[in-house]
Amino acid sequence: MQRLQEFQEKIGYHFRKEALLKQALTHSSFANEKHMKKLSDNERLEFLGDAVLEIITSEFLFHEYRNIPEGDLTKLRASIVCEQTLAMTTKQLDLGNYLLLGKGEDMTGGRTRKSILSDALEAIIGAIYLDGGFTNAKEFVRHFILTDIENKQLFYDSKTILQELVQAEYEEELNYNLIKEEGPDHAKVFGMEARIGTRVVGRGEGPTKKAAEQEAAYHALLALKEER
């Protein structure tokens, strides 16, 4: 399959068992629509990949951040492996375009849905681990996920950092405003604006209002940094 070959070129890893990669890219909506046999989707691989990602990330942080206590390491790890950060990571792989989705899921924006993208990324890690072992999984994670840690931490802590910045440097208060709410109940998308007083400084989207606020705060921080 041409697209599977293309994706393997992109990630720099070639599967011995290509069926594992296909399964990692198969969303439950596709498996159900095509009446595939039970457990043919990527959910079990995601379960495995989540655990592999956590141990690789933990080991990396343990060695790279030698003077940071356990509590801060836990928070730093969370900033790297949270759903929204992982989904952000998938953009460089153009992962959404390679997913096998049911028609309904595809039509309602599944290829850009953060939960689907982050789950598929974890499934790919699980697939690489099964196909090529821990070393290859580690190489993939270090190359595509354990990068730009400072920026990912900024994203994870964006609401707190923005609040502190506004309190310290601006006379007006920070507030968030809902500007969009669309999609079916199981796949809602919220749009939020971060404002200082009445001035819009950032916008974000997410599956919850809180997630949309986090993204809006992140974009606000980047915009304010650019101004300064």
Side-chain angles (χ1 to χ4, degrees), residues 17-29:
K17 296 177 182 175
E18 210 169 70
L20 279 169
L21 175 58
K22 185 176 181 182
Q23 184 178 357
L25 297 171
T26 301
H27 188 254
S28 56
S29 62

Side-chain angles (χ1 to χ4, degrees), residues 3 51 74 89 96 101 105 111 119 124 136 144 158 171-173 187 190-193 195 199 202 204 226:
R3 292 186 68 71
T74 299
T89 299
L101 298 178
E105 195 67 63
R111 294 190 186 279
D119 288 351
I124 290 164
N136 283 303
F144 290 106
S158 55
E171 292 180 7
E172 295 173 298
E173 289 188 359
F190 295 92
M192 301 292 289
E193 284 180 342
R195 295 179 174 185
R199 178 190 168 206
E226 193 75 24

Side-chain angles (χ1 to χ4, degrees), residues 24 61 136 139 160:
L61 295 177
N136 283 303
E139 189 174 326
T160 302

Side-chain angles (χ1 to χ4, degrees), residues 18-227:
E18 210 169 70
L20 279 169
L21 175 58
K22 185 176 181 182
Q23 184 178 357
L25 297 171
T26 301
H27 188 254
S28 56
S29 62
F30 183 88
N32 293 335
E33 191 176 278
K34 299 295 183 183
H35 305 293
M36 295 168 71
K37 65 181 181 180
K38 197 175 180 183
L39 307 179
S40 296
D41 60 37
N42 64 8
E43 290 177 1
R44 281 170 53 84
L45 285 173
E46 177 216 330
F47 164 79
L48 177 62
D50 176 63
V52 175
L53 173 60
E54 185 152 318
I55 186 63
I56 292 170
T57 304
S58 299
E59 183 193 41
F60 172 82
L61 295 177
F62 182 83
H63 290 299
E64 292 293 320
Y65 295 83
R66 295 179 182 272
N67 299 318
I68 292 181
E70 180 266 343
D72 291 337
L73 285 174
T74 299
K75 189 177 178 185
L76 187 53
R77 182 179 63 197
S79 73
I80 296 166
V81 303
C82 74
E83 178 184 295
Q84 285 183 285
T85 308
L86 290 179
M88 194 162 60
T89 299
T90 67
K91 288 180 182 177
Q92 64 182 302
L93 298 171
D94 200 17
L95 179 57
N97 282 334
Y98 295 93
L99 297 177
L100 297 171
L101 298 178
K103 288 180 182 175
E105 195 67 63
D106 200 355
M107 288 173 66
T108 56
R111 294 190 186 279
T112 58
R113 191 160 296 129
K114 292 179 175 66
S115 58
I116 290 176
L117 290 168
S118 62
D119 288 351
L121 185 62
E122 289 179 335
I124 290 164
I125 294 166
I128 293 173
Y129 173 75
L130 289 177
D131 188 74
F134 187 76
T135 300
N136 283 303
K138 184 175 178 178
E139 189 174 326
F140 174 84
V141 170
R142 292 192 71 143
H143 186 73
F144 290 106
I145 298 173
L146 297 177
T147 57
D148 202 11
I149 305 292
E150 189 178 313
N151 194 45
K152 286 172 179 172
Q153 192 174 15
L154 175 69
F155 176 75
Y156 187 72
D157 292 329
S158 55
K159 286 184 71 176
T160 302
I161 295 169
L162 181 60
Q163 183 68 52
E164 290 172 352
L165 175 68
V166 172
Q167 285 177 342
E169 298 189 15
Y170 295 86
E171 292 180 7
E172 295 173 298
E173 289 188 359
L174 172 68
N175 62 89
Y176 294 93
N177 185 47
L178 180 68
I179 56 171
K180 183 173 81 170
E181 182 178 340
E182 59 187 32
D185 286 343
H186 75 282
K188 282 278 188 192
V189 177
F190 295 92
M192 301 292 289
E193 284 180 342
R195 295 179 174 185
I196 300 175
T198 58
R199 178 190 168 206
V200 177
V201 288
R203 291 188 176 90
E205 291 186 358
T208 64
K209 290 178 184 177
K210 187 177 178 182
E213 286 175 359
Q214 180 188 12
E215 191 166 290
Y218 173 69
H219 288 299
L221 284 168
L222 295 182
L224 293 172
K225 184 180 178 183
E226 193 75 24
E227 279 182 16

